Amino acid sequence: MSNRAIDAKGLVKRYGSTIAVAGVDLAVNAGEVVGLLGPNGAGKTTTILMLLGLTEPSEGSVRILGKDPLRQPLEVKQEVGYLPDAVGFYETMTGRENLAYTARLAGIPQDLARERIGAALDKVRLSGVADRRVATYSRGMRQRLGLAELLMRNCRVAILDEPTSGLDPQSTQELLALIQSLSQHGMTILLASHMLNVVQSICHRVALFNKGRIGFIGTIEELADRIGGGAFVIDVEAEGVDLSTLSARTDGVKSVVPGRRGHWLVEANRDVRPELARLVVEGGGSLRNLDLRRAQLHQAYNRYFAEVGHDA
Amino acid sequence: MTRKGSPFKGAMTIAMKEAADHMTSARMHLIMLLVMLSATGAVYGAIGRITETTAEDPFLFLKLLTIAREPLPSFAALLGFLLPLVAIALGFDAVNGEYARRTMSRLLAQPIYRDAVLFGKFLGAMIVLAVALLTLWLLMTGLGILFLGLPPSAADVVRGLAYMAATLAYAGVWLALAIAFSTMIRSPATSALAALSVWLVLTVFWGMIAPLVAGAVAPIDPLDPMTMVTQYETQQAIARLSPQRLYGEVAAILLDPAARSISPLFFDQLQGAIVGAPLPTLQSLLVVWPQLSGMVAAMILLFTLAYVAFQRQEVRA
C-alpha cells in the first residue's frame, strides 16, 4: 500500500487567459508536514483549493489518500480538514455548538460527536470557554477552535492556510505546539504560510511556489544547499587567524562571512567543523567557539527568490 | 463526470440550523411582529365590518381575510405586500453572508456538496415561512372564533389551507429572488437593496407600467372593439409578470368561492351560471392553476439561477 497522502500531478488552473497555477507536481507522504511558501499570487491557495476539490483543475490530477477529490469529494472531505486564514465560525453559536454543527454535517453520530468534541476542546484548551459564544473569542481562540474541529473529525490530512497570521507570539507558539502534536499523531499536514520561522519550526519539507509552479521542494538543508549558501552554517569564534582566507580552500565550504572581530559565519554543504578546528590550530590561532546552526529558511528563501526572481 | 454520494447529504442539517437562526434572530422577530400586528389589525377591522353588515354567510372565515376596513387593507392584501419583505429578510444574505463571516470555505470543506448548502438554506427559510404563515392563519382563525362565536366550516378550512399553500409559493418566489441576489452580489447590503428594488418595482409600480406597455404594444383601434379586449389581455399578461399580481388573482379566487374568472367574461360565457353561487374548491383551484404554476415556475427558475451561479463560484473566503 502506498504511503502517499497527497499526490498531485501537472495541476494547471486557468481563469480565462490568466494562468494561476501552471503545472504543479506535489507528493506528500503520510505523516509529513510540508510548508507551502511563496509570494502572494504564486498559486498556493489555488493549489490548496484544487486539492480540496473546491475548484476544478483545468488540467492535471489529484489524489488524496488515493481518492480523487472531484469524483469522490465526500470521501476525500471526510478525511481532509481545512483551516483557512482567519477561520470563520457562526458568531451567535458557542464554540461547542459550532463543532456539533460540523459533526452533524460530517455524519458523526451524536454520542460519538459529544465525546470527540469534549476531547478536542480539552486538547486545544478551550473547554473552559466552549459554552461561550464565538463572538467573544479572540483570533487565537478561533484558530484553536479550528484545530479542534480537525481533531474532532479525526482527519488524516490537514490543510492549514496561514494559521498563525495575526496571532500574538504566545498564541502562535501555542498553535504551533498543537500543530506539532497533530503531526506526532500521524496527521499529514500541508501548511501555507508567509511566516518562515513558523514553517522552519514545524515542517519536514518546504515547497517554494513561484509564478504558478513549485520551483523547489525538499528539506530546508537541501534548499540551502541548492541555492549556494550551504545547508550547514557554522559560527566560528577564534583569535590569531584570518579564517576568511584559510577556510576558502576547504572542501565543502561555500562561503565565509566575517562578523564582528574574531567572528565568522561559514556556510558549507557538510559539517566542516573538524577541518575548521584544524585550520585554526595549524594557523597558530586559538579557537573559542565552534557552533553548528541549522540553515535559516528566511535566508535561503530570500536568496532563492533573489536568484529566480518573482512577479509579486 | 459522475460524482459519488448524495447531493442532499447535510441539506437537512443546514436547513434546521438556518431555521433555528432565523427564528431566534432579532431581524426576524421585528418583521414578524410588524406582520402579526398589521394582520391582527386587518382581521379585527374585518370582524367589525362583518358583525355590522353580514347576516349570514357560509364562508365567514374567508371573508375575514378579504374584507378591509379603512385605513387598513384586507389581510390578504396585507400579506401580498408584506410577505415579500419577510422572504427577502430571510434570504438576502443567505450566501454572501457566509462569505462575509468567512465561514463559506470551512462549510464547503465539510463532507457535503454545494447543492446541500443552497438547498438547505432555501429549505430552512421555507420552513420558517411555513411556520409563520400557519401561526398567522391559526391566530386569525382563533380571533374569528372568539369574536364571531362560530367555528369555521370545512370549506373555510380547505380553502384557507389552499390559500396558505399558495401564499407559501408566493413567498418562495421572493425568497428565491433574494437568494439569487445573495449568490450573485458579494455585499449583503447591496443584495438586500437589489431585492427591495425589484420588490418595489413589481409591487408598487408594475400596476402602472403594465397599461403603459400594453397601450404601446396593442393600441386600441376605435373602429374595432375587439382591440380593447386585446389591449386588456395584453395588459393582464404583462401585469402577470409580477408575482404579486399572480398572488392577488389566486387570493381573489380561492378566498371568494363566488368568483368564477380572473379574465374578462362575455355574457354568453355566463349563460346558465347562477350568479353568486359558490364554486367547489377544486374548481376554484383549477381556475387559478396557471397562476399557481406560474409562481412555482418563477420560484424554480430563480432558484436554478442561484444554483448555477453558486456552482460556478470560486470559493476563497
mmCIF file of all heavy atoms in Angstrom, chain A residues 199-226:
data_model
loop_
_atom_site.group_PDB
_atom_site.id
_atom_site.type_symbol
_atom_site.label_atom_id
_atom_site.label_comp_id
_atom_site.label_asym_id
_atom_site.label_seq_id
_atom_site.Cartn_x
_atom_site.Cartn_y
_atom_site.Cartn_z
ATOM 1 N N VAL A 199 7.244 28.043 9.659
ATOM 2 C CA VAL A 199 7.426 26.906 8.749
ATOM 3 C C VAL A 199 8.672 26.120 9.149
ATOM 4 O O VAL A 199 8.644 24.895 9.236
ATOM 5 C CB VAL A 199 7.522 27.410 7.286
ATOM 6 C CG1 VAL A 199 7.876 26.272 6.350
ATOM 7 C CG2 VAL A 199 6.205 28.045 6.866
ATOM 8 N N GLN A 200 9.760 26.857 9.413
ATOM 9 C CA GLN A 200 11.008 26.176 9.761
ATOM 10 C C GLN A 200 10.847 25.348 11.036
ATOM 11 O O GLN A 200 11.408 24.261 11.149
ATOM 12 C CB GLN A 200 12.137 27.198 9.950
ATOM 13 C CG GLN A 200 13.420 26.571 10.486
ATOM 14 C CD GLN A 200 14.662 27.219 9.946
ATOM 15 O OE1 GLN A 200 14.636 28.375 9.553
ATOM 16 N NE2 GLN A 200 15.755 26.477 9.900
ATOM 17 N N SER A 201 10.056 25.871 11.972
ATOM 18 C CA SER A 201 9.967 25.177 13.265
ATOM 19 C C SER A 201 9.182 23.872 13.197
ATOM 20 O O SER A 201 9.380 23.005 14.040
ATOM 21 C CB SER A 201 9.368 26.115 14.316
ATOM 22 O OG SER A 201 8.036 26.414 13.973
ATOM 23 N N ILE A 202 8.281 23.724 12.219
ATOM 24 C CA ILE A 202 7.469 22.502 12.255
ATOM 25 C C ILE A 202 7.470 21.662 10.970
ATOM 26 O O ILE A 202 6.993 20.537 10.999
ATOM 27 C CB ILE A 202 5.998 22.797 12.652
ATOM 28 C CG1 ILE A 202 5.351 23.780 11.688
ATOM 29 C CG2 ILE A 202 5.872 23.252 14.069
ATOM 30 C CD1 ILE A 202 3.846 23.921 11.940
ATOM 31 N N CYS A 203 7.994 22.212 9.880
ATOM 32 C CA CYS A 203 7.857 21.475 8.617
ATOM 33 C C CYS A 203 9.049 20.555 8.336
ATOM 34 O O CYS A 203 10.195 20.929 8.565
ATOM 35 C CB CYS A 203 7.695 22.458 7.460
ATOM 36 S SG CYS A 203 6.119 23.289 7.519
ATOM 37 N N HIS A 204 8.728 19.383 7.817
ATOM 38 C CA HIS A 204 9.796 18.463 7.399
ATOM 39 C C HIS A 204 10.364 18.904 6.055
ATOM 40 O O HIS A 204 11.549 18.767 5.798
ATOM 41 C CB HIS A 204 9.241 17.040 7.261
ATOM 42 C CG HIS A 204 8.664 16.515 8.530
ATOM 43 N ND1 HIS A 204 7.391 16.007 8.618
ATOM 44 C CD2 HIS A 204 9.181 16.437 9.784
ATOM 45 C CE1 HIS A 204 7.149 15.612 9.860
ATOM 46 N NE2 HIS A 204 8.215 15.875 10.576
ATOM 47 N N ARG A 205 9.489 19.370 5.186
ATOM 48 C CA ARG A 205 9.923 19.819 3.854
ATOM 49 C C ARG A 205 9.194 21.105 3.498
ATOM 50 O O ARG A 205 8.162 21.423 4.082
ATOM 51 C CB ARG A 205 9.585 18.757 2.796
ATOM 52 C CG ARG A 205 10.458 17.516 2.885
ATOM 53 C CD ARG A 205 10.310 16.680 1.629
ATOM 54 N NE ARG A 205 8.967 16.187 1.449
ATOM 55 C CZ ARG A 205 8.435 15.897 0.265
ATOM 56 N NH1 ARG A 205 9.139 16.115 -0.851
ATOM 57 N NH2 ARG A 205 7.217 15.414 0.161
ATOM 58 N N VAL A 206 9.753 21.829 2.533
ATOM 59 C CA VAL A 206 9.079 23.040 2.057
ATOM 60 C C VAL A 206 8.938 22.970 0.541
ATOM 61 O O VAL A 206 9.765 22.357 -0.146
ATOM 62 C CB VAL A 206 9.838 24.334 2.437
ATOM 63 C CG1 VAL A 206 9.822 24.564 3.920
ATOM 64 C CG2 VAL A 206 11.263 24.329 1.890
ATOM 65 N N ALA A 207 7.865 23.578 0.055
ATOM 66 C CA ALA A 207 7.671 23.701 -1.397
ATOM 67 C C ALA A 207 7.600 25.190 -1.712
ATOM 68 O O ALA A 207 6.784 25.899 -1.135
ATOM 69 C CB ALA A 207 6.375 23.008 -1.817
ATOM 70 N N LEU A 208 8.496 25.648 -2.583
ATOM 71 C CA LEU A 208 8.512 27.067 -2.913
ATOM 72 C C LEU A 208 7.742 27.305 -4.203
ATOM 73 O O LEU A 208 8.106 26.788 -5.257
ATOM 74 C CB LEU A 208 9.957 27.570 -3.091
ATOM 75 C CG LEU A 208 10.866 27.476 -1.870
ATOM 76 C CD1 LEU A 208 12.164 28.232 -2.127
ATOM 77 C CD2 LEU A 208 10.193 28.054 -0.645
ATOM 78 N N PHE A 209 6.675 28.075 -4.083
ATOM 79 C CA PHE A 209 5.846 28.405 -5.241
ATOM 80 C C PHE A 209 6.369 29.692 -5.873
ATOM 81 O O PHE A 209 6.665 30.646 -5.176
ATOM 82 C CB PHE A 209 4.384 28.637 -4.823
ATOM 83 C CG PHE A 209 3.601 27.375 -4.662
ATOM 84 C CD1 PHE A 209 3.825 26.536 -3.583
ATOM 85 C CD2 PHE A 209 2.634 27.024 -5.594
ATOM 86 C CE1 PHE A 209 3.097 25.365 -3.433
ATOM 87 C CE2 PHE A 209 1.899 25.856 -5.449
ATOM 88 C CZ PHE A 209 2.142 25.034 -4.364
ATOM 89 N N ASN A 210 6.423 29.670 -7.182
ATOM 90 C CA ASN A 210 6.786 30.883 -7.899
ATOM 91 C C ASN A 210 6.131 30.863 -9.274
ATOM 92 O O ASN A 210 6.260 29.885 -10.008
ATOM 93 C CB ASN A 210 8.314 30.971 -8.050
ATOM 94 C CG ASN A 210 8.744 32.324 -8.563
ATOM 95 O OD1 ASN A 210 8.051 33.319 -8.380
ATOM 96 N ND2 ASN A 210 9.890 32.364 -9.216
ATOM 97 N N LYS A 211 5.400 31.913 -9.570
ATOM 98 C CA LYS A 211 4.739 32.055 -10.873
ATOM 99 C C LYS A 211 3.910 30.812 -11.228
ATOM 100 O O LYS A 211 3.980 30.299 -12.343
ATOM 101 C CB LYS A 211 5.759 32.337 -11.969
ATOM 102 C CG LYS A 211 6.508 33.651 -11.768
ATOM 103 C CD LYS A 211 7.656 33.782 -12.735
ATOM 104 C CE LYS A 211 8.491 35.005 -12.394
ATOM 105 N NZ LYS A 211 9.776 35.046 -13.084
ATOM 106 N N GLY A 212 3.159 30.325 -10.255
ATOM 107 C CA GLY A 212 2.240 29.215 -10.516
ATOM 108 C C GLY A 212 2.883 27.843 -10.568
ATOM 109 O O GLY A 212 2.205 26.859 -10.912
ATOM 110 N N ARG A 213 4.161 27.772 -10.230
ATOM 111 C CA ARG A 213 4.834 26.453 -10.236
ATOM 112 C C ARG A 213 5.548 26.239 -8.908
ATOM 113 O O ARG A 213 5.818 27.199 -8.190
ATOM 114 C CB ARG A 213 5.895 26.399 -11.347
ATOM 115 C CG ARG A 213 5.330 26.289 -12.729
ATOM 116 C CD ARG A 213 6.436 25.888 -13.708
ATOM 117 N NE ARG A 213 5.868 25.517 -14.985
ATOM 118 C CZ ARG A 213 5.547 26.382 -15.934
ATOM 119 N NH1 ARG A 213 5.747 27.673 -15.731
ATOM 120 N NH2 ARG A 213 5.019 25.985 -17.073
ATOM 121 N N ILE A 214 5.866 24.968 -8.634
ATOM 122 C CA ILE A 214 6.722 24.703 -7.482
ATOM 123 C C ILE A 214 8.158 24.706 -8.000
ATOM 124 O O ILE A 214 8.544 23.838 -8.790
ATOM 125 C CB ILE A 214 6.365 23.365 -6.813
ATOM 126 C CG1 ILE A 214 4.975 23.458 -6.182
ATOM 127 C CG2 ILE A 214 7.405 23.005 -5.761
ATOM 128 C CD1 ILE A 214 4.518 22.216 -5.450
ATOM 129 N N GLY A 215 8.903 25.724 -7.589
ATOM 130 C CA GLY A 215 10.281 25.848 -8.069
ATOM 131 C C GLY A 215 11.222 24.924 -7.338
ATOM 132 O O GLY A 215 12.253 24.506 -7.871
ATOM 133 N N PHE A 216 10.873 24.631 -6.085
ATOM 134 C CA PHE A 216 11.733 23.754 -5.297
ATOM 135 C C PHE A 216 10.877 23.025 -4.277
ATOM 136 O O PHE A 216 9.962 23.598 -3.694
ATOM 137 C CB PHE A 216 12.796 24.574 -4.558
ATOM 138 C CG PHE A 216 13.558 23.769 -3.550
ATOM 139 C CD1 PHE A 216 14.670 23.024 -3.926
ATOM 140 C CD2 PHE A 216 13.139 23.703 -2.227
ATOM 141 C CE1 PHE A 216 15.346 22.240 -3.002
ATOM 142 C CE2 PHE A 216 13.798 22.919 -1.302
ATOM 143 C CZ PHE A 216 14.913 22.194 -1.698
ATOM 144 N N ILE A 217 11.186 21.761 -4.054
ATOM 145 C CA ILE A 217 10.573 21.044 -2.931
ATOM 146 C C ILE A 217 11.623 20.159 -2.287
ATOM 147 O O ILE A 217 12.361 19.435 -2.977
ATOM 148 C CB ILE A 217 9.307 20.243 -3.355
ATOM 149 C CG1 ILE A 217 8.673 19.560 -2.131
ATOM 150 C CG2 ILE A 217 9.587 19.233 -4.450
ATOM 151 C CD1 ILE A 217 7.225 19.172 -2.317
ATOM 152 N N GLY A 218 11.752 20.265 -1.010
ATOM 153 C CA GLY A 218 12.744 19.468 -0.287
ATOM 154 C C GLY A 218 12.904 20.009 1.115
ATOM 155 O O GLY A 218 12.126 20.854 1.569
ATOM 156 N N THR A 219 13.948 19.521 1.804
ATOM 157 C CA THR A 219 14.185 19.999 3.163
ATOM 158 C C THR A 219 14.846 21.378 3.097
ATOM 159 O O THR A 219 15.331 21.793 2.039
ATOM 160 C CB THR A 219 15.113 19.040 3.928
ATOM 161 O OG1 THR A 219 16.368 19.023 3.235
ATOM 162 C CG2 THR A 219 14.557 17.637 3.987
ATOM 163 N N ILE A 220 14.851 22.044 4.223
ATOM 164 C CA ILE A 220 15.460 23.383 4.259
ATOM 165 C C ILE A 220 16.962 23.271 3.967
ATOM 166 O O ILE A 220 17.540 24.112 3.280
ATOM 167 C CB ILE A 220 15.201 24.037 5.628
ATOM 168 C CG1 ILE A 220 13.696 24.289 5.748
ATOM 169 C CG2 ILE A 220 15.982 25.333 5.783
ATOM 170 C CD1 ILE A 220 13.205 24.569 7.136
ATOM 171 N N GLU A 221 17.582 22.183 4.451
ATOM 172 C CA GLU A 221 19.015 21.975 4.197
ATOM 173 C C GLU A 221 19.260 21.798 2.698
ATOM 174 O O GLU A 221 20.211 22.342 2.141
ATOM 175 C CB GLU A 221 19.514 20.740 4.967
ATOM 176 C CG GLU A 221 19.682 20.946 6.466
ATOM 177 C CD GLU A 221 18.340 21.017 7.196
ATOM 178 O OE1 GLU A 221 17.332 20.515 6.649
ATOM 179 O OE2 GLU A 221 18.298 21.591 8.296
ATOM 180 N N GLU A 222 18.388 21.026 2.067
ATOM 181 C CA GLU A 222 18.533 20.823 0.609
ATOM 182 C C GLU A 222 18.344 22.142 -0.141
ATOM 183 O O GLU A 222 19.042 22.424 -1.115
ATOM 184 C CB GLU A 222 17.503 19.798 0.114
ATOM 185 C CG GLU A 222 17.855 18.370 0.498
ATOM 186 C CD GLU A 222 16.682 17.389 0.304
ATOM 187 O OE1 GLU A 222 15.554 17.833 0.034
ATOM 188 O OE2 GLU A 222 16.918 16.187 0.456
ATOM 189 N N LEU A 223 17.412 22.960 0.359
ATOM 190 C CA LEU A 223 17.181 24.255 -0.283
ATOM 191 C C LEU A 223 18.419 25.140 -0.134
ATOM 192 O O LEU A 223 18.905 25.731 -1.099
ATOM 193 C CB LEU A 223 15.963 24.949 0.350
ATOM 194 C CG LEU A 223 15.697 26.385 -0.092
ATOM 195 C CD1 LEU A 223 15.339 26.447 -1.574
ATOM 196 C CD2 LEU A 223 14.580 27.023 0.721
ATOM 197 N N ALA A 224 18.929 25.170 1.103
ATOM 198 C CA ALA A 224 20.114 25.999 1.365
ATOM 199 C C ALA A 224 21.282 25.520 0.515
ATOM 200 O O ALA A 224 22.047 26.326 -0.033
ATOM 201 C CB ALA A 224 20.451 25.933 2.842
ATOM 202 N N ASP A 225 21.403 24.221 0.398
ATOM 203 C CA ASP A 225 22.493 23.646 -0.384
ATOM 204 C C ASP A 225 22.330 23.998 -1.865
ATOM 205 O O ASP A 225 23.273 24.383 -2.538
ATOM 206 C CB ASP A 225 22.479 22.126 -0.190
ATOM 207 C CG ASP A 225 23.757 21.496 -0.704
ATOM 208 O OD1 ASP A 225 24.799 22.173 -0.618
ATOM 209 O OD2 ASP A 225 23.692 20.358 -1.216
ATOM 210 N N ARG A 226 21.093 23.892 -2.331
ATOM 211 C CA ARG A 226 20.856 24.100 -3.756
ATOM 212 C C ARG A 226 21.089 25.547 -4.184
ATOM 213 O O ARG A 226 21.610 25.803 -5.261
ATOM 214 C CB ARG A 226 19.421 23.710 -4.078
ATOM 215 C CG ARG A 226 19.022 24.247 -5.399
ATOM 216 C CD ARG A 226 18.016 23.481 -6.114
ATOM 217 N NE ARG A 226 17.524 24.337 -7.184
ATOM 218 C CZ ARG A 226 16.329 24.284 -7.680
ATOM 219 N NH1 ARG A 226 15.500 23.388 -7.227
ATOM 220 N NH2 ARG A 226 15.973 25.093 -8.624
#
